[in-house]
């Protein structure tokens, strides 16, 4: 019988066929990559002159300014979305039916609305002179609704017996949530929370549609405003440089998530104290009795 419960182990023909499919897929992917590189080179996208403008200190400063703007927007949106998610999750777990219904409507509405449309509507109708808050509020509403579902799922993942035992001890619901359910649910929620924060960081790039000078807007404007080389604008260098910055930011945030997850799941160092067995107790008692008898004999002798 096969040791794998999902599917039967492949035989010799199946393994050979899988190796053939893998080799063909690798060749096809390499051919596609080579074709893309050839087309970019054929259109002059790899000219050395396209990189010249990135050597100036003014260019470096503009990139740093765009990066700082993106990080500031992300920090504000992350804090607000986590706060909104906690409030909406608490409302969805409420014992009052109208509160649950209202929170459900809010969560489903903002989860279903495309984020780009939400940001544009906020900019055109409310924050016409402040694109940063249009982007921040849009990110908060969308990601806060997603975080609310993450919080609710993490709390519901805690075994029901935990809350039932707490209620049996006379604890109130607030005490049960803050002292029992949330601390245990954090370990379940943490990877999903950090993953959604990575999505929030990437979604800050949507600020370019409302002319907000975040990192992507700076890169796009720089590629369009620089002098073309042989009629070619420096879009490929822009994609390589700014795309690498976004990748590094997301990898850094993911590394933080991995580190925090390991810290929360790490058990105590060392080993627990050894438990005494029945034999040890008998031996200890016998030794104690022998010592007591010896002491009594010594006293009588003295």
């Amino acid at each position: 019988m096969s040791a794998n419960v999902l599917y039967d182990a492949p035989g010799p023909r199946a393994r050979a066929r899988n190796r053939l499919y893998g080799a063909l897929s690798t060749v096809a992917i390499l051919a596609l990559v080579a074709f893309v590189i050839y087309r970019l080179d054929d259109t002059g996208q790899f000219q050395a002159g396209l990189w010249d403008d990135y050597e100036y200190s003014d260019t470096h400063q503009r990139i740093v300014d765009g990066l700082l703007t993106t990080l500031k927007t992300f920090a504000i949106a992350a804090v607000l979305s986590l706060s909104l998610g906690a409030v909406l999750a608490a409302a969805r777990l409420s014992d009052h039916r109208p509160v649950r219904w209202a929170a459900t409507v809010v969560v489903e509405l903002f989860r279903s609305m495309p984020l780009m449309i939400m940001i544009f509507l906020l900019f055109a109708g409310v924050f016409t002179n402040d694109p940063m808050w249009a982007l921040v509020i849009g990110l908060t509403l969308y990601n806060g609704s997603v975080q609310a579902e993450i919080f609710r799922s993490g709390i519901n993942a805690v075994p029901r017996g935990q809350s039932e035992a707490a209620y049996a001890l006379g604890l109130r619901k607030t005490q049960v949530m803050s002292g029992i359910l949330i601390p245990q649910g954090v370990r379940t929620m943490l990877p999903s929370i950090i993953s959604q924060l990575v999505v929030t960081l990437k979604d800050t790039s949507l600020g370019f549609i409302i002319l907000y000078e975040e990192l992507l807007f700076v890169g796009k404007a720089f590629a369009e405003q620089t002098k073309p080389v042989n009629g070619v604008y420096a879009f490929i260098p822009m994609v390589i440089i700014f795309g690498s910055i976004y990748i590094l930011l997301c990898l850094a945030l993911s590394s933080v998530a991995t580190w925090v997850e390991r810290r929360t799941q790490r058990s105590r160092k060392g080993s627990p104290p050894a438990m005494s067995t029945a034999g040890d107790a008998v031996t200890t008692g016998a030794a104690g009795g022998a010592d007591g008898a010896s002491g009594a004999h010594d006293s009588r002798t003295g």
Side-chain angles (χ1 to χ4, degrees), residues 61-74:
Q61 187 61 45
R62 291 177 61 183
I63 294 176
V64 170
D65 292 341
L67 176 60
L68 293 177
T69 302
T70 292
L71 292 177
K72 181 181 74 172
T73 304
F74 164 70

Side-chain angles (χ1 to χ4, degrees), residues 61 101 115 121 224 292:
Q61 187 61 45
W101 287 355
L115 180 56
L121 289 177
E224 292 175 345

Side-chain angles (χ1 to χ4, degrees), residues 33 70 75 94 104 126 131 156 172 183 198 202 211 262 270 290:
V33 171
T70 292
S94 174
T104 301
V126 183
N156 287 334
R172 297 189 301 272
V198 172
K202 293 188 294 184
L211 306 180
R262 289 176 179 174

